[in-house]
Amino acid sequence: MVERSLAQRHVFLRMVRFADIDSLGHVNNVRFFDYLEDARFAMLHVDPYKAGEEPFKDMVVSHHEIDYRRPLGFRAEPVRVETWVTEIRPVRFTVAYEIRDDQDLYVTAKSVIVAYDVERGAPRRLRQDELAYLERFTAED
């Protein structure tokens, strides 16, 4: 069993699709980035929107890192993509992920997300409401 942070984690359930499976019979390494993106979008856009809060907008990924722990094959039940925040800076934050079920850990990953001003074409400072939302999911890595 993997030791886990005590921070509140965002949990996104993701079905393994037939299209995710490669010729070796497991989820292709590149497809895991789709899992991370789906979870991140739910955490930062869909869930705040559903709660009547301002969704995160104008964010760009500046860095990804991923470690594959064990193969994930096709299955009927979803896997959990658990996401939490490990660092917040004035213009960026880092999210950590685990793709797992109750028995196994398949992937660990991190993404650095930068708040971006599209009109200026440059990073911007995180707003106070964004910072407050991220604090809900913050834990040391």
Side-chain angles (χ1 to χ4, degrees):
M1 201 52 131
V2 175
E3 189 175 320
R4 302 166 89 180
S5 156
L6 297 177
Q8 176 182 346
R9 291 183 176 199
H10 180 271
V11 176
F12 178 77
L13 299 178
R14 176 64 152 77
M15 294 302 299
V16 176
R17 300 173 312 190
F18 180 75
D20 298 340
I21 305 300
D22 65 15
S23 62
L24 298 175
H26 56 71
V27 174
N28 182 274
N29 63 314
V30 174
R31 292 293 188 167
F32 280 112
F33 287 101
D34 292 335
Y35 291 39
L36 304 180
E37 180 182 40
D38 290 349
R40 193 171 56 250
F41 185 74
M43 177 181 175
L44 300 176
H45 189 82
V46 175
D47 290 0
Y49 178 80
K50 286 181 178 179
E53 300 175 275
E54 185 69 25
F56 282 58
K57 296 178 184 166
D58 302 329
M59 299 282 163
V60 296
V61 174
S62 67
H63 178 78
H64 278 306
E65 64 183 68
I66 191 165
D67 290 305
Y68 305 97
R69 303 295 181 159
R70 63 183 301 123
L72 173 60
F74 188 74
R75 56 195 277 160
E77 60 282 336
V79 290
R80 292 191 313 271
V81 184
E82 298 183 10
T83 308
W84 65 100
V85 177
T86 60
E87 180 183 40
I88 302 173
R89 299 280 181 117
V91 300
R92 66 179 169 87
F93 58 98
T94 303
V95 294
Y97 316 82
E98 288 181 352
I99 299 176
R100 63 177 310 115
D101 57 28
D102 290 339
Q103 291 79 38
D104 295 309
L105 175 62
Y106 302 99
V107 166
T108 58
K110 289 183 182 180
S111 299
V112 176
I113 313 297
V114 177
Y116 196 74
D117 183 325
V118 176
E119 289 181 18
R120 284 189 9 216
R124 66 167 175 82
R125 295 184 75 80
L126 288 160
R127 298 186 319 258
Q128 202 58 41
D129 62 311
E130 293 169 333
L131 292 168
Y133 184 82
L134 293 172
E135 288 287 334
R136 298 179 203 172
F137 299 99
T138 300
E140 290 183 19
D141 191 30

